[in-house]
Amino acid sequence: MNSTPGEEMVSAKSRRTVVVAAAAGNLLEWYDFAAYGFFAAIIGKLYFPSGNATTSLLAALAVFGVAFVMRPAGGFVLGRFADRAGRRPALTLSVLMMGVSTTLIACLPTYAGVGLLAPVLLVFLRCVQGFSAGGEYAGAATYLIEYAPRNRRGLWSSVISATAALGVLVAGLTALLLSAWLSEAELTSWGWRVPFLLAAPLSLAGLYVRFKLDDTPVYRELERHNHLVADPLKQVGKKALANVAMVFACTAVAGLGFYYLATYVITHLTVVVGLDRTTALLIAIVGLAIYSVLCPVAGLIGDRIGRRRTMIVGGLGLAAVAVPAFAMLSSGGIWLSLGGLAVFALFEALVNVMLGVLLVELFPANTRVSGSAVGFNLAQAIIGGPGPLVAAALAASFDTAVAPAFYMTAVALISTVVLLRFLPETLGNDLVDGSPSMLSRDRKRPEAVAEAS
């Protein structure tokens, strides 16, 4: 069997619509979430004023991390909602919450205007963003891959990874244009609000796109046969804790790598290396573009050699290249910095794209979003979200520019050792019950699945 349930009834035009809609919605969601990171230094001065620029920056990055505290709650609620009411309603609610909270950040008064109320409101809105993002990634991956042909799930998963990066890239490009057009005083006074204001029309577009979608063939199959469960989280607790742990380990390395690439790089280049903001933004944007191009390649590799091998190669690669990549990034040269980012992005693409498909293939359909969202968001809250803050603290504490790489190396090594021991091969798993096909049970021969498909 080479198709997902109902795949024979899905036209090529419908598949294209699904890919475009899922990609557009995911890009908009991550644009909204990432805009904060590109203006962390300015936000730190406006909402956490102190006599020390580093202290203000660390406070702003801590608020970035606070959003991740809410992500498990968002994963629990929106994941359960997606398994009970459908993938499409949960994704629609997610983009609505993100759009409203991001737009409201643009309207917040600063500390100079209302005192302590300003940072309190900022933290609250970042928590709403975190709650929304908690249901987005696992839900979007599930929606897209449940439509994908069996032998192209890795490639389709790359759409989620690439568009998440492109959302961050668009936020970075907006920041770059504002930095080029506005003076520092104008940027600090009002310019930083523009990317957040853009969330309103962009989110309306995302809502329109998602309202037009049908639910997935897999979910409709569950409804047709009355296979939905009353409490998906309880089922996950009884039967799938080992797979939740695998998702946690995969997300630890992939999530931390992504937030280093998407959020911390700009801070490192400006604060540690001392580049001007425009040059630093340009380097970060090109690095994200390289990563986005590499994501489909990573998906094709995973479809050919298997999820397990690809994930392990990516994790070991990140552990090996983190220090030299940061040494190149810290050189101050544009080309060396881009070279370091490209090497880092190569291995990050491998782990991130495989994470997307593993979120889907490790769980049966009726508990899929709940199970994957739990492991994914716990890892993001504990490891990935605080990553930029940990990296900045390491850079401030040690007299070496490569200090932030130590955390990346440690997380990548520990996670990959766990995955090497316990991660099963899921290539070819049936998307209804999560069980492996006859071919994919042989963990040593994933290529046989690709050939049979």
Side-chain angles (χ1 to χ4, degrees), residues 257-331:
F258 181 80
Y259 283 107
Y260 264 47
L261 188 66
T263 301
Y264 177 69
V265 162
I266 180 66
T267 300
H268 188 82
L269 289 172
T270 53
V271 176
V272 179
V273 182
L275 295 181
D276 64 273
R277 183 173 177 79
T278 300
T279 301
L281 278 169
L282 183 60
I283 291 172
I285 287 168
V286 174
L288 286 168
I290 292 170
Y291 167 78
S292 299
V293 170
L294 289 170
C295 283
V297 178
L300 290 171
I301 291 171
D303 283 333
R304 178 62 185 172
I305 70 171
R307 321 313 187 199
R308 174 183 161 83
R309 290 180 185 176
T310 307
M311 176 64 74
I312 289 170
V313 168
L316 292 176
L318 281 174
V321 306
V323 170
F326 263 83
M328 296 171 70
L329 189 67
S330 303
S331 67

Side-chain angles (χ1 to χ4, degrees), residues 216-257:
T216 69
V218 172
Y219 183 80
R220 282 177 279 160
E221 182 95 348
L222 292 176
E223 282 190 313
R224 185 162 41 252
H225 295 287
N226 197 28
H227 287 167
L228 300 175
V229 295
D231 193 343
L233 287 171
K234 186 176 181 180
Q235 287 291 104
V236 169
K238 287 181 177 180
K239 300 181 179 181
L241 285 181
N243 286 348
V244 170
M246 290 301 96
V247 169
F248 184 99
C250 291
T251 306
V253 59
L256 181 62

Side-chain angles (χ1 to χ4, degrees), residues 57-58 61-62 64-65 256 259-260 264 267-268 272 326 380-398 402-411:
L57 173 63
L58 289 176
L61 288 175
F64 183 86
L256 181 62
Y259 283 107
Y260 264 47
Y264 177 69
T267 300
H268 188 82
V272 179
F326 263 83
Q380 293 286 38
I382 297 170
I383 307 294
L389 177 61
V390 173
L394 287 171
S397 300
F398 292 91
V402 301
F406 301 157
Y407 185 50
M408 183 73 246
T409 299
V411 170

Side-chain angles (χ1 to χ4, degrees), residues 109 129 149 188 194 231 318 378 405:
Q129 285 187 316
T188 302
V194 173
D231 193 343
L318 281 174
L378 285 175

Side-chain angles (χ1 to χ4, degrees), residues 75-76 79-81 83 232-233 236 366-375:
F76 293 148
R80 185 181 188 277
F81 185 49
D83 285 330
L233 287 171
V236 169
N366 56 7
T367 60
R368 177 164 293 140
V369 189
S370 298
S372 58
V374 169

